[in-house]
Amino acid sequence: MAFLRGARMGLVTLVALVLQTTLFTDLRIGGVAPELVLAVAAMAGFVAGPSSGAWAGFWMGLAYDVVLETPLGLAGLAFCIVGYVAGLAGETAFRPTWWYAAGSVAVSSVFGVIVFAIVSTLVGQNAVVSGSLLRVVIGVAILNALLAPAIMGVVRWSYGRPRELRVAT
Amino acid sequence: MAAPTHRGRSWYTLALLALTALTLFTLDFRGFGPLESVQSGLRSAFSPVRSAGESITKPISNGAEGLFNYGDLEEENARLEARIAELEGRIFQIDAEEAELKRLKAELGLDYVGDLPTVIAEVITGPVGNFASQSVDINRGTADGITEGMPVVTGAGLVGRVTRADRSRAVVQLIIDAEFTVGVRIASETNPDEIGLGHGDGPGSPRQITVDQGIDLGIAVGDLVVTSGGRTSLFPPGLPIGVVSDVIEKDRGLELKVELNAAPDQIGFVNVVLFEAEE
């Protein structure tokens, strides 16, 4: 079961990476592109809890680092924190709704972009977050929130569990 | 009572993963060979998947581009029409300007890219997401003789350099990237050998770079800016960059704003100059 779940998440990550590096390089609104991989990592946390979210974010971040020019581990670190934070948000929801999921993904995305910017600045990669940070943060939060309902269905499929069965402990 | 244990375990997982990420980051930053080989292999494996994805998603992105940016396209159309009119008005000046350029070239002894072998490449994707530097992907790679560090130009001048080359594609860091630096020579009338260091201004200034210049030796608006070259420079001498559009006095010297000849944010095809800097 764990293998199947891992294979499904691997497939979802691959599709997210392909879409991020093809379709979403052109689809920019106000110069800001959605961060699909980040949104999927956040949703994984929301659906499966903080621990699973951290694992998913870590692997997705590493894959994103490989594709981007960023040092390996930079997105891995930021995205695993995002998955964890989104997992904490998911645990507080007794009856998760699409708008709650979208809000959690938006907040987690804000968190992820800021963590990414801070870590990259600390290590001298000042130009990593392109453009105005505030514009990118707001843009990514809105765009990722809009994508959240669709992502939720895919991530729930990959974990093989309906989200409604999990309640806060 | 189960919650604290569960929360504690997930916190432990997060800490472990964060430490692993930091370790990988440190190794990568120090240029750990095996890690770079693994990344290069994974990129090469991903490359055909991405190319397949591009062919599937291109019609969608083209359609969406027209849908979402219809207003921008109308504006762009009007701007281009105005530009055509302006260019038609200027066409008679071109001969005179070319003659002037030839005279300056002769005076400065510039070597243009025509003397060096080049590879024509198509720009296939722009910057990925919001975390990548200002870079584009081109459809030529090591199989075509392209290696890291090679300059990339258009007919109008320098637009960037190759920062990563896989077998069939390469990544070009654009000249406007804030981390891009290039040694420049400013051909001022009083002193044609002024040397400075140029750097990109980021995506907010897609047609401009800044040159830090220590001493004011008569540099004026309109002076030509080219690559300085040099024994260890990544660029051959004399690649056109742009013209000085503003001269700002600072405490530490001059800051020159250089309007680029090329338009790095709107390139479709480029030439990679097969020039390798000396070690």
Side-chain angles (χ1 to χ4, degrees):
Chain A
M1 190 64 187
F3 172 78
L4 189 63
R5 201 164 51 222
R8 282 173 173 171
M9 275 311 284
L11 181 65
V12 170
T13 303
L14 185 65
V15 172
L17 274 175
V18 170
L19 288 174
Q20 183 74 64
T21 55
T22 56
L23 188 64
F24 292 145
T25 57
D26 298 323
L27 288 185
R28 287 173 182 268
I29 297 175
V32 178
E35 286 295 342
L36 184 62
V37 183
L38 177 63
V40 174
M43 190 58 81
F46 186 82
V47 167
S51 188
S52 297
W55 275 107
F58 175 75
W59 286 114
M60 287 177 191
L62 287 188
Y64 204 26
D65 280 327
V66 169
V67 172
L68 294 181
E69 282 286 300
T70 49
L72 190 69
L74 189 55
L77 176 63
F79 289 14
C80 82
I81 295 173
V82 165
Y84 183 84
V85 170
L88 295 181
E91 279 191 339
T92 62
F94 279 95
R95 290 174 181 273
T97 56
W98 69 267
W99 56 265
Y100 188 82
S104 299
V105 167
V107 172
S108 305
S109 298
V110 167
F111 201 73
V113 174
I114 291 173
V115 168
F116 200 99
I118 290 172
V119 177
S120 57
T121 304
L122 284 175
V123 298
Q125 302 275 311
N126 297 326
V128 163
V129 176
S130 55
S132 154
L133 181 60
L134 184 64
R135 188 165 54 87
V136 172
V137 164
I138 294 171
V140 168
I142 293 170
L143 293 170
N144 280 4
L146 291 174
L147 291 170
I151 296 170
M152 189 177 197
V154 174
V155 172
R156 279 167 59 184
W157 165 78
S158 66
Y159 277 102
R161 67 169 94 166
R163 173 70 182 88
E164 289 77 6
L165 293 181
R166 197 171 65 77
V167 295
T169 51
Chain B
M1 290 299 287
T5 309
H6 172 66
R7 186 67 56 80
R9 201 163 49 231
S10 63
W11 174 249
Y12 176 77
T13 302
L14 177 68
L16 187 72
L17 292 174
L19 273 175
T20 309
L22 285 171
T23 305
L24 287 169
F25 180 85
T26 307
L27 289 172
D28 192 41
F29 215 67
R30 288 169 179 262
F32 184 59
L35 208 56
E36 288 186 355
S37 302
V38 170
Q39 287 185 77
S40 179
L42 287 172
R43 279 190 206 109
S44 296
F46 182 64
S47 186
V49 180
R50 186 174 170 183
S51 297
E54 273 157 8
S55 60
I56 295 168
T57 59
K58 202 67 188 171
I60 303 170
S61 59
N62 285 345
E65 177 82 6
L67 190 68
F68 290 122
N69 300 323
Y70 183 72
D72 291 346
L73 287 174
E74 275 191 330
E75 240 173 60
E76 179 74 359
N77 196 32
R79 196 185 65 76
L80 287 172
E81 280 178 2
R83 182 71 176 149
I84 287 167
E86 182 192 333
L87 289 173
E88 281 174 347
R90 284 189 58 193
I91 202 160
F92 296 108
Q93 297 175 9
I94 290 175
D95 287 344
E97 284 177 0
E98 277 185 352
E100 176 67 5
L101 187 61
K102 276 180 188 167
R103 188 185 66 77
L104 285 169
K105 279 162 63 181
E107 282 179 5
L108 297 170
L110 299 178
D111 295 319
Y112 268 35
V113 70
D115 299 337
L116 295 164
T118 60
V119 171
I120 297 173
E122 183 183 0
V123 175
I124 45 179
T125 54
V128 174
N130 307 285
F131 300 139
S133 55
Q134 286 296 299
S135 58
V136 295
D137 282 20
I138 57 173
N139 67 342
R140 294 282 183 269
T142 53
D144 304 286
I146 293 171
T147 58
E148 286 178 17
M150 286 181 168
V152 180
V153 299
T154 66
L158 183 70
V159 291
R161 68 165 162 252
V162 176
T163 52
R164 195 181 78 210
D166 298 326
R167 185 166 165 72
S168 59
R169 61 194 296 157
V171 178
V172 176
Q173 182 189 30
L174 297 176
I175 190 171
I176 55 172
D177 187 272
E179 298 289 316
F180 188 101
T181 55
V182 55
V184 303
R185 186 149 58 101
I186 303 130
S188 71
E189 277 188 20
T190 51
N191 186 350
D193 290 322
E194 277 300 297
I195 302 295
L197 184 66
H199 58 83
D201 288 347
S205 302
R207 301 282 172 85
Q208 176 183 281
I209 65 166
T210 297
V211 173
D212 296 320
Q213 183 69 20
I215 313 164
D216 181 3
L217 288 172
I219 296 168
V221 171
D223 286 345
L224 294 178
V225 179
V226 298
T227 54
S228 59
R231 203 169 58 81
T232 56
S233 173
L234 285 173
F235 305 97
L239 296 181
I241 294 176
V243 293
V244 176
S245 61
D246 197 6
V247 180
I248 303 163
E249 285 189 32
K250 298 270 182 179
D251 292 342
R252 54 189 163 74
L254 293 180
E255 186 179 277
L256 311 175
K257 295 297 178 187
V258 177
E259 187 182 333
L260 298 172
N261 281 354
D265 58 330
Q266 289 188 351
I267 46 176
F269 287 88
V270 293
N271 287 281
V272 181
V273 185
L274 303 185
F275 171 85
E276 288 187 75
E278 289 179 34
E279 291 295 327

